[in-house]
Amino acid sequence: MAASKPVEPQSGSSLPRWQLALLIGTPIVLGVGAVYLWNRSKTKDSPGKRNGERTTPEGSASPVQGQDGFHSPQDKGLSPLDRAQGAKNKGNKYFKAGKYEQAIQCYTEAIGLCPRDNQTDLSTFYQNRAAAYEQQMMWTEVVQDCTQAVEMNPRYIKALFRRAKALERLDNKKECLEDVTAVCILEAFQNQQSMLLADKVLKLLGKEKAKDKYKNRDPLMPSPQFIKSYFSSFTDDIISQPLQKGEKKDEDKDNEGEAAEVTESSGYLKAKQYMEEENYDKIISECTKEVESGGRYTAEALLLRATFYLLIGNATGAQPDLDRVINMEDANIKLRANALIKRGSMYMQQQQPMMSTQDFNMAAEIDTRNADVYHHRGQLKILLDQVEEAVGDFDECILLRPDSALAQAQKCFALYRQAYTGNSQSQVQTAMDGFEDVIRRFPKCAEGYALYAQALTDQQQFGKADQMYNKCIDLEPDNATTYVHKGLLQLQWKQDLDLGLDLISKAIEIDNKCDFAYETMGTIEVQRGNLDKAIDMFNKAINLAKSEMEMAHLYSLCDAAYAQTEVARKYGLKPPTL
């Protein structure tokens, strides 16, 4: 489960980074790894609201004369506006009594009586009638009346939110998102109900678009740096090892640093040679030759082909190959365990944590001394916010592979997360001391410095975090992700927007397939109010997404930015910018 992005738990006090805090563009603090925190406790219930929900019509519901008819003798001396207000008040009384038909009649009378130049009052009457229609689930009528109200009062929060809810019911997600985006901006993001609706619609839109796009996408090979980083996270993976003795010609064995020539006509061995040459585009086809010929390396070829299917985001192609290897009882046990690890990781990407856990547990049963199983299961447990179990797995990995710097660093990160979320300062310090020990004992482990930098940033030790990222860059100058993290640090630490953007641009220059860099750049452009550029960045990230779930997340960000452009155009509403 090698990751190019920071590990984020699936639960906890903060909203995931793809939710509304990222969407709307409020000037919030940018943290390392683009993790955004949202305080759910800000919203307070108030009269007329249940958890922020708007449910009642506006205006006094005090008793009025002539309750059983539309007029009373006393009405004759009143102005048209006063008579309209009286009808509205009567409608409010009926509404509170649950008599929605009568309420609608009263609101309709108020609309008919109200002078056309009293736009504010008239918009209230339309909104109140929409509230009664809403109780009867007459969604089209709700939209029509709210539209009338908004045309007269473009910043009418109740009417915008009521129309958004009705549009959702009518499955008009695009316009629903625009309305609820306007509401969030007008409310300064203080109402949880509107934020939750925006989040819900964004998820649905993202999933819909990603399902179609991902199915018809052209597979794209990641950058060589990403591929090498992925394979480096495995130590017991046979297919990622260099060509073995007997697989090279004798004359090649003395020519270190030169590409090996394969001794026999084997698609798998040819694929291994292409791996050493970093000629990754030819690997799947060579593995297919081995599988179709039923060669001696069929199991290895299936696993290698499945691995590259996963790397290009083709889980549909990968799963049958992984299934075959897992079910080959006569195959090398490490091949089967590795296939289970990769299928388990695939299930996690597909948001099937139970299936994922089953595969990791099966791998641990069939190959109890495979360090990779515990290492990658530990990462899974962090994602599931099962930190204690994650630490146990990392301990098992370290016991089997004491020289595994990566497992040591990730154990420290798991301990840090546990201490940080538990608000235990003494345990936080113990975890930080653990990081110091890891980088002292494994000074060439870039991941150790990167994870330590994330923890230091949480502790607002920005200067030292910056030093850790510099160490990462010294060790891995072609790791684009580190430049993104360092750029985000500059924004949080020094509020240096230009330097932050320069570092993220450097990441794209190093690896133009780094979707994390495009996503982060797009997020910052939303924050700056440069919505067209943000949409362009998100679209570039979408084309590089490695899973349907990741693509759905990116579509949500893109749709959110687009909704803001429409809200700005229609209502002149823009949130504060950086």
Side-chain angles (χ1 to χ4, degrees), residues 266-268 286-298 301:
S266 164
Y268 171 70
E286 290 300 330
C287 288
T288 299
K289 292 176 185 177
E290 182 79 21
V291 172
E292 290 178 348
S293 68
R296 62 183 287 202
Y297 297 107
T298 295

Side-chain angles (χ1 to χ4, degrees), residues 7 9 33 80 90 101 103 109 185 200 254 264 312 348 351 405 463 471 481 487 508 524 527 536 554:
V7 174
K90 191 184 299 182
E101 288 283 359
E109 181 190 10
I185 294 172
K200 178 183 177 182
D254 298 324
E264 57 184 279
I312 65 174
M348 194 62 197
Q351 293 185 301
K471 290 280 190 180
T481 304
I508 294 172
I524 294 171
Q527 301 273 318
D536 180 54
L554 291 164

Side-chain angles (χ1 to χ4, degrees), residues 312-442:
I312 65 174
N314 184 1
T316 303
Q319 181 153 357
D321 287 353
L322 294 171
D323 292 345
R324 280 184 64 182
V325 176
I326 290 164
N327 293 321
M328 286 180 174
E329 294 187 2
D330 58 340
N332 186 306
I333 203 70
K334 293 204 177 296
L335 290 176
R336 295 176 63 204
N338 188 265
L340 282 163
I341 292 169
K342 288 171 180 172
R343 192 174 71 176
S345 299
M346 180 191 74
Y347 283 141
M348 194 62 197
Q349 279 195 329
Q350 295 170 348
Q351 293 185 301
Q352 300 183 65
M354 289 184 64
M355 299 283 285
S356 179
T357 300
Q358 287 175 11
D359 273 0
F360 279 105
N361 292 346
M362 190 186 303
E365 289 174 9
I366 67 171
D367 193 5
T368 58
R369 298 192 60 77
N370 188 324
D372 289 344
V373 175
Y374 304 104
H375 176 196
H376 289 266
R377 189 170 67 178
Q379 293 188 43
L380 167 70
K381 296 299 184 183
I382 292 179
L383 288 170
L384 296 175
D385 210 23
Q386 298 171 3
V387 183
E388 284 189 26
E389 293 181 34
V391 171
D393 276 334
F394 290 134
D395 279 337
E396 193 67 33
C397 175
I398 294 164
L399 186 65
L400 292 167
R401 294 263 184 180
D403 59 343
S404 176
L406 191 56
Q408 303 263 10
Q410 290 179 338
K411 176 189 172 182
C412 283
F413 189 70
L415 289 169
Y416 170 75
R417 289 200 68 89
Q418 186 179 39
Y420 185 68
T421 56
N423 201 27
S424 171
Q425 193 55 47
S426 63
Q427 291 179 11
V428 165
Q429 189 56 53
T430 299
M432 301 298 270
D433 292 341
F435 277 121
E436 288 285 349
D437 184 58
V438 168
I439 63 174
R440 178 184 58 78
R441 289 189 293 123
F442 303 101

Side-chain angles (χ1 to χ4, degrees), residues 260-313:
E261 292 292 335
V262 175
T263 61
E264 57 184 279
S265 178
S266 164
Y268 171 70
L269 295 180
K270 189 70 174 175
K272 289 289 291 290
Q273 181 179 322
Y274 284 136
M275 277 190 70
E276 291 188 5
E277 298 169 357
E278 297 183 16
N279 194 352
Y280 300 119
D281 289 320
K282 295 183 178 181
I283 288 174
I284 289 176
S285 61
E286 290 300 330
C287 288
T288 299
K289 292 176 185 177
E290 182 79 21
V291 172
E292 290 178 348
S293 68
R296 62 183 287 202
Y297 297 107
T298 295
E300 289 87 346
L302 284 167
L303 183 55
L304 184 58
R305 183 170 70 176
T307 302
F308 273 87
Y309 275 143
L310 291 173
L311 284 168
I312 65 174

